Amino acid sequence: MNSRAKFFSLLLTAWIVSSAWAFSATVSAGYKTVQFINDGGEMFGWGANNVGQIGDGTEIDRSSPVVPEESGPWVDVSVSLLPADGSSDSAHTLAVKANGTLWAWGDNSRGQLGQGDTTNRNTPTRVGSAQDWRAVAAGSGFSVALKENGEIWVWGDNSFGKLGPGVSA
């Protein structure tokens, strides 16, 4: 890594760390997409948006932060790191609101949005009716969510058994 790249890497790290410590902000950097929740619970996204993973109702890449169609306040967010299949640039986003509801948007080619279908969504779509979600993690073609009682829920692509022991596709 050259000195200029190191400088920008350190600068970004310092900004994320200082924001997280000073403002209780949350950030998730995924595959070509970033989602950021500020200390007021507002979410902003930028980067690739080819399957609506920013959640602004479009599939237009964004070089500046935009807000998703659904308002918060938000408390947790995760953007998938790699495409669901090696041949496409797809990603999905999961987020939890302060009221404990779970939301998903973007690529749904493996059912990772938890809607019982494979239709992509370019706006946040509520997952189920529960209001006791605590944290989320977006994987490559699958999703993981943690409930307040400690239950872990998984859905989407189960290749390599990533949905857990004893789970079949």
Side-chain angles (χ1 to χ4, degrees):
M1 183 180 293
N2 66 35
S3 61
R4 182 180 169 140
K6 285 181 186 176
F7 170 76
F8 285 114
S9 176
L10 289 173
L11 183 63
L12 178 61
T13 301
W15 175 73
I16 290 170
V17 169
S18 67
S19 295
W21 288 349
F23 307 110
S24 299
T26 300
V27 66
S28 179
Y31 185 71
K32 299 182 181 181
T33 305
V34 176
Q35 295 282 4
F36 174 75
I37 301 172
N38 70 14
D39 62 326
E42 297 171 294
M43 187 182 307
F44 302 89
W46 63 93
N49 195 30
N50 59 300
V51 288
Q53 62 266 42
I54 292 176
D56 67 344
T58 74
E59 292 181 359
I60 300 168
D61 294 348
R62 303 293 186 172
S63 59
S64 297
V66 296
V67 297
E69 287 281 313
E70 180 68 31
S71 61
W74 302 95
V75 294
D76 191 33
V77 65
S78 180
V79 180
S80 59
L81 293 174
L82 298 172
D85 71 33
S87 64
S88 67
D89 290 346
S90 59
H92 72 288
T93 303
L94 299 172
V96 176
K97 282 190 177 188
N99 66 5
T101 57
L102 175 62
W103 299 76
W105 59 97
D107 177 55
N108 194 31
S109 60
R110 308 280 204 244
Q112 63 265 43
L113 300 186
Q115 301 301 316
D117 61 28
T118 56
T119 302
N120 295 347
R121 308 287 195 301
N122 61 15
T123 59
T125 304
R126 187 164 172 188
V127 179
S129 60
Q131 292 185 283
D132 60 345
W133 298 104
R134 180 173 162 189
V136 289
S140 179
F142 71 103
S143 298
V144 181
L146 176 68
K147 286 193 158 202
E148 291 290 341
N149 67 4
E151 288 180 356
I152 297 172
W153 289 58
V154 294
W155 59 94
D157 180 33
N158 194 32
S159 60
F160 306 104
K162 57 192 167 194
L163 297 185
V167 177
S168 60

